[in-house]
Amino acid sequence: MKIRNRLNPSNPCFSFEFFPPKTDEGTAKLLKTLEDLTPLEPGFVSVTYGAGGSTRDKTVELVTRIKHETNIEAMAHITCVGHTRDELRELLRRLADAKVENVLALRGDPPQGQKTFEAVEGGFRHATELVRFIREEDFNFCLGGACYPEGHVETASRDDDLRHLKEKVDAGLDFIITQLFFDNAFYFDFVERARRVGINVPIVPGIMPITNYEQVHRFTRMCGATVPMRLALQLERVKDQPEALVQLGVAHATVQCMELLSRGVPGIHFYTLNKSPATRMIVSALRSRT
């Protein structure tokens, strides 16, 4: 099933992102987590691709297992980091041979210790080049990409970022998923600006339930997302109370999702960090209201 066919404002789907565990035990736990998610009828799950392609084989293996051993559609993340065209072509062939139909095409973050992104010889500098390559090679994937409601941290302005995104979409994307955000105003403003420049593919909001105080600060520093002042003060008050912090994170994300759904988003993508209880609580609450 192509993900683009599941993104429908009249029947929005919920999707979940996971990263490949390092051990067989971790993989078994993750497959159990997916089993627990099945009653919530996820539209799809995505599997990330470690820095420098460090989880390449595990990503392919896990996506293949999800595709063939569960009733959940799967999408593989692919990045440009550390790979030549030939290596990426072989990787895409492996996914196609495994009957995987959906790919999220990303540039990827610079490897640890490297401040700026540098393409390897024979590789790609931008996700736009990767998207164009996949289309020119005639792979029949449904292609997703990333977008940044508050602007990519490496671009000079949001207008520049939007121009780059338009090029990427025009290269052959079927849909885009946003970076995490905690204030819906950023999403709605971004969608309006994107539509004005002719970006007409579905724009799926990406939501990360806050479950750890230090973690949310680390992620927001990395990606440039803004934590609203009121939420920041609330988090500060409960930072040493794990259960209260999770309850606050779940409540905030649930309210975010309710507003997003009320205004016609085509789906919601959850960044789970391989911890599903918070996400299950949110989706269960949302399902109970429909």
Side-chain angles (χ1 to χ4, degrees):
M1 169 67 77
K2 301 287 177 66
I3 287 172
R4 63 172 175 258
N5 297 326
R6 296 196 169 182
L7 299 176
N8 184 349
S10 65
N11 185 26
C13 72
F14 300 119
S15 55
F16 308 90
E17 178 179 295
F18 297 95
F19 57 84
K22 295 179 180 178
T23 65
D24 291 341
E25 181 183 4
T27 298
K29 286 182 179 179
L30 179 53
L31 291 171
K32 177 62 169 64
T33 296
L34 292 173
E35 186 179 316
D36 293 339
L37 285 173
T38 301
L40 297 177
E41 300 177 346
F44 63 94
V45 299
S46 70
V47 181
T48 66
Y49 198 71
S54 56
T55 65
R56 175 175 60 185
D57 292 335
K58 288 184 178 295
T59 297
V60 174
E61 176 189 344
L62 187 54
V63 169
T64 301
R65 290 191 65 179
I66 295 170
K67 174 76 175 178
H68 295 286
E69 296 178 20
T70 75
N71 292 318
I72 302 174
E73 191 57 56
M75 174 171 69
H77 292 216
I78 299 295
T79 77
C80 304
V81 183
H83 292 319
T84 65
R85 293 167 181 252
D86 290 342
E87 289 171 337
L88 286 165
R89 184 184 294 110
E90 177 58 28
L91 176 62
L92 292 161
R93 281 178 180 157
R94 287 176 59 191
L95 289 168
D97 289 345
K99 309 301 182 186
V100 173
E101 297 180 80
N102 303 287
V103 166
L104 191 70
L106 307 165
R107 186 202 71 175
D109 296 323
Q112 192 169 4
Q114 205 173 292
K115 291 186 178 179
T116 58
F117 181 89
E118 295 179 12
V120 299
E121 187 175 348
F124 300 120
R125 295 171 301 155
H126 304 290
T128 300
E129 296 173 320
L130 175 58
V131 173
R132 192 173 291 121
F133 171 76
I134 294 172
R135 291 307 185 204
E136 288 173 351
E137 291 288 312
D138 209 26
F139 287 105
N140 190 31
F141 295 115
C142 175
L143 285 185
C147 59
Y148 304 85
E150 299 179 61
H152 193 284
V153 291
E154 295 177 21
T155 52
S157 70
R158 293 182 189 177
D159 287 341
D160 281 346
D161 188 47
L162 207 56
R163 281 193 290 272
H164 295 317
L165 178 61
K166 178 70 162 60
E167 292 175 7
K168 185 165 61 173
V169 170
D170 289 347
L173 291 182
D174 294 297
F175 65 95
I176 47 181
I177 300 176
T178 77
Q179 178 60 272
L180 61 92
F181 58 90
F182 299 101
D183 183 343
N184 287 353
F186 287 115
Y187 172 82
F188 295 124
D189 175 69
F190 172 75
V191 171
E192 183 178 329
R193 290 187 295 114
R195 299 308 186 214
R196 280 205 301 265
V197 300
I199 297 172
N200 296 313
V201 296
I203 301 175
V204 181
I207 298 295
M208 188 184 81
I210 297 171
T211 58
N212 181 289
Y213 184 80
E214 296 299 331
Q215 196 173 59
V216 72
H217 282 283
R218 186 167 67 252
F219 281 141
T220 52
R221 282 196 301 269
M222 287 171 53
C223 70
T226 302
V227 178
M229 182 60 70
R230 182 178 178 184
L231 177 60
L233 292 172
Q234 292 173 319
L235 290 169
E236 181 71 25
R237 283 198 293 269
V238 297
K239 66 179 182 179
D240 297 319
Q241 305 170 49
E243 290 187 14
L245 189 141
V246 170
Q247 289 175 356
L248 172 60
V250 166
H252 181 80
T254 301
V255 170
Q256 271 193 280
C257 292
M258 288 171 61
E259 182 186 23
L260 290 164
L261 292 168
S262 73
R263 293 181 61 173
V265 297
I268 296 176
H269 190 64
F270 290 97
Y271 298 108
T272 70
L273 305 176
N274 284 27
K275 297 176 182 177
S276 68
T279 307
R280 286 207 310 271
M281 284 189 278
I282 295 165
V283 176
S284 295
L286 297 172
R287 292 284 191 204
S288 71
R289 293 171 181 269
T290 58

